[in-house]
């Protein structure tokens, strides 16, 4: 088996709260899937919401595998 670890940091929108950029994460998952990698595990953490001017940081760590 081969394994690949990918870490992505998603930033909250500039005004208000709530990360609206999960399509970026979806794109990364689809890109690796099309290349023959299967998602093994995913873990997410959040840096806390600061709202205007600050922005939340969601960090996703994904482990992919393939034969």
């Amino acid at each position: 088996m081969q394994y690949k670890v990918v870490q992505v940091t998603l930033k909250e929108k500039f005004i208000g709260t709530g990360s609206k950029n999960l399509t970026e994460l979806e794109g990364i998952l689809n890109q690796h899937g099309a290349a023959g990698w299967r998602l093994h595990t995913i873990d997410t953490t959040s840096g806390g919401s600061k709202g205007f001017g600050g922005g939340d940081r969601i960090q996703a760590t994904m482990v992919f595998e393939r034969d």
Side-chain angles (χ1 to χ4, degrees), residues 26-46:
E26 184 180 79
I28 291 168
L29 290 167
N30 288 332
Q31 176 187 7
H32 284 82
W37 292 92
R38 293 181 303 273
L39 182 64
H40 181 271
T41 55
I42 185 169
D43 183 54
T44 59
T45 59
S46 176

Side-chain angles (χ1 to χ4, degrees), residues 9-19 46-58:
T9 302
L10 305 171
K11 186 176 179 187
E12 183 179 77
K13 62 186 179 176
F14 183 67
I15 298 175
T17 61
S19 294
S46 176
S49 180
K50 296 180 179 85
F52 182 80
D56 192 18
R57 300 286 192 279
I58 295 175

Side-chain angles (χ1 to χ4, degrees), residues 1-8 24-43 60-67:
M1 290 289 247
Q2 294 179 338
Y3 294 92
K4 180 192 284 193
V5 178
V6 178
Q7 193 168 52
V8 179
E24 180 182 345
L25 182 60
E26 184 180 79
I28 291 168
L29 290 167
N30 288 332
Q31 176 187 7
H32 284 82
W37 292 92
R38 293 181 303 273
L39 182 64
H40 181 271
T41 55
I42 185 169
D43 183 54
T61 303
M62 298 162 281
V63 177
F64 294 90
E65 66 181 7
R66 73 175 172 191
D67 297 326

